[in-house]
Amino acid sequence: MLEIRRLVLLRELAIRGTIAAVADALNFTPSAVSQQLSQLEKETGTQLLRKAGRRVQLTPQAEVLVASVGEVLDTLERAEARLQAAATRVTGRVRVAVFQSAALAFMPATLRAMASLHPDVRVEMTQREPEEALRETWARDFDMVIAEQYPAHAAPHHPGLDRRDLTTDAIRLALPPAPESLHPVDSLVTARHMPWVMEPRGAASRHFAEQVCRRAGFEPDVRYETADLQAHMRLVESGNAVALIPDLIWAGRSTPARLLELDGAPRRTIFTAQRLAGSASPAARAFRDILEQTVRQSAAPA
């Protein structure tokens, strides 16, 4: 019988691309990873890796093994979830990846409720960009992800992930508190004269914002780049920039910024995703249920 730990290393190599990345993710040394993979080749009697310059590539035989490893890990995850479900108390660990504005708006109340209702569950939260977090959840680095999807920019889909929508929020043009004396700003068109703040290139929000501006007939002067949406709102509130900001970032606070509706009233979708194999986990199910309740309560009229 093949050694499952060595098979997992092979799968990690397929996911992460390099032996160094596998070693870093699993707290091994690169030489230890190489030795284990060499031993796996001996056990299978098949070449699993071939050199490609300074990297290694998986052979077709290795790809077959990797697919089977995913099935084995799903089976083990389902078995663990069934074992936890047989216990009289909800226990375990839930590793959650979440983007910034959702972490600020939803996680404090969710964590308080989890600690009160399920004190034996350990919730670990890490801030991650949604596309990266979705892949890492599929790869088993996290148990669940809270992610976002902008209009006309679909979030990546990974096999075996169960996606469930949480809520939506409007995306508005955020303008400084008062019109500028030289260039009054009161619409998307007049905002063409202002410096813009946007997330770095590659982010879904950046693609969305650029497309909105181009459809309005101008190329935005993106003078400030940051993934921190709190920095976006500070730059807007201080009169230094304009931005397209989802409503969730303003949750729980007032702002002197002027928020204007965009044509078509675009909305961002916020959703959770977890592996189907782990969906029976009582701890993960409890966390997801409480998170959804928190979101419903935050959206309810005061």
Side-chain angles (χ1 to χ4, degrees):
M1 184 175 294
L2 299 177
E3 170 60 58
I4 184 65
R5 288 172 294 182
R6 295 186 183 118
L7 290 170
V8 169
L9 288 177
L10 184 66
R11 180 178 184 271
E12 289 290 326
L13 180 59
I15 292 171
R16 303 184 191 279
T18 67
I19 287 176
V22 173
D24 183 61
L26 301 182
N27 293 319
F28 286 3
T29 64
S31 61
V33 173
S34 296
Q35 290 169 8
Q36 291 297 310
L37 293 175
S38 295
Q39 185 61 36
L40 182 60
E41 284 189 319
K42 292 178 183 177
E43 289 177 353
T44 60
T46 304
Q47 182 184 6
L48 301 176
L49 305 176
R50 58 178 173 227
K51 288 189 177 295
R54 301 179 65 179
R55 299 165 67 97
V56 294
Q57 290 182 339
L58 274 65
T59 64
Q61 294 83 356
E63 297 286 359
V64 170
L65 273 181
V66 166
S68 299
V69 175
E71 295 171 4
V72 170
L73 293 177
D74 283 346
T75 299
L76 292 174
E77 189 169 7
R78 285 191 292 267
E80 184 178 6
R82 286 195 293 268
L83 181 62
Q84 292 172 346
T88 57
R89 293 174 63 88
V90 179
T91 63
R93 178 179 66 157
V94 182
R95 300 165 300 167
V96 183
V98 59
F99 65 98
Q100 184 192 47
S101 53
L104 293 171
F106 303 141
M107 289 303 291
T110 300
L111 292 173
R112 284 196 304 271
M114 281 294 296
S116 174
L117 297 172
H118 305 290
D120 295 329
V121 175
R122 175 185 173 92
V123 179
E124 298 175 357
M125 181 184 73
T126 303
Q127 184 177 319
R128 282 285 195 279
E129 291 303 306
E131 292 197 6
E132 176 188 12
L134 283 162
R135 187 173 189 276
E136 290 177 334
T137 301
W138 168 78
R140 291 183 163 79
D141 290 345
F142 298 102
D143 301 305
M144 192 176 302
V145 56
I146 305 172
E148 63 180 353
Q149 179 170 292
Y150 276 78
H153 195 286
H157 282 268
H158 296 281
L161 287 188
D162 170 41
R163 170 176 162 162
R164 216 150 74 190
D165 287 353
L166 266 179
T167 188
T168 65
D169 63 341
I171 306 167
R172 305 178 199 271
L173 175 63
L175 300 176
E180 301 298 307
S181 57
L182 295 180
H183 299 292
V185 181
D186 55 10
S187 68
L188 181 62
V189 173
T190 56
R192 67 191 304 159
H193 302 295
M194 286 287 292
W196 283 72
V197 56
M198 293 186 183
E199 292 198 52
R201 291 190 182 276
S205 61
R206 173 66 174 264
H207 178 264
F208 168 78
E210 288 179 333
Q211 291 302 308
V212 167
C213 294
R214 288 167 185 168
R215 285 195 297 270
F218 68 94
E219 193 69 25
D221 175 12
V222 183
R223 202 171 300 181
Y224 313 112
E225 286 190 1
T226 173
D228 185 348
L229 290 187
Q230 292 192 93
H232 288 216
M233 65 184 189
R234 298 289 187 187
L235 287 170
V236 172
E237 290 172 337
S238 61
N240 288 291
V242 296
L244 296 177
I245 299 182
D247 276 357
L248 191 61
I249 195 64
W250 311 107
R253 71 185 297 274
S254 59
T255 177
R258 293 172 292 141
L259 305 178
L260 302 185
E261 290 278 359
L262 296 170
D263 289 345
R267 299 184 72 84
R268 174 183 63 166
T269 300
I270 299 167
F271 63 94
T272 58
Q274 70 175 130
R275 291 181 302 282
L276 282 167
S279 59
S281 162
R285 188 167 57 242
F287 175 84
R288 205 177 202 183
D289 289 346
I290 288 174
L291 172 65
E292 290 174 349
Q293 183 178 1
T294 297
V295 173
R296 286 194 299 270
Q297 290 174 344
S298 68

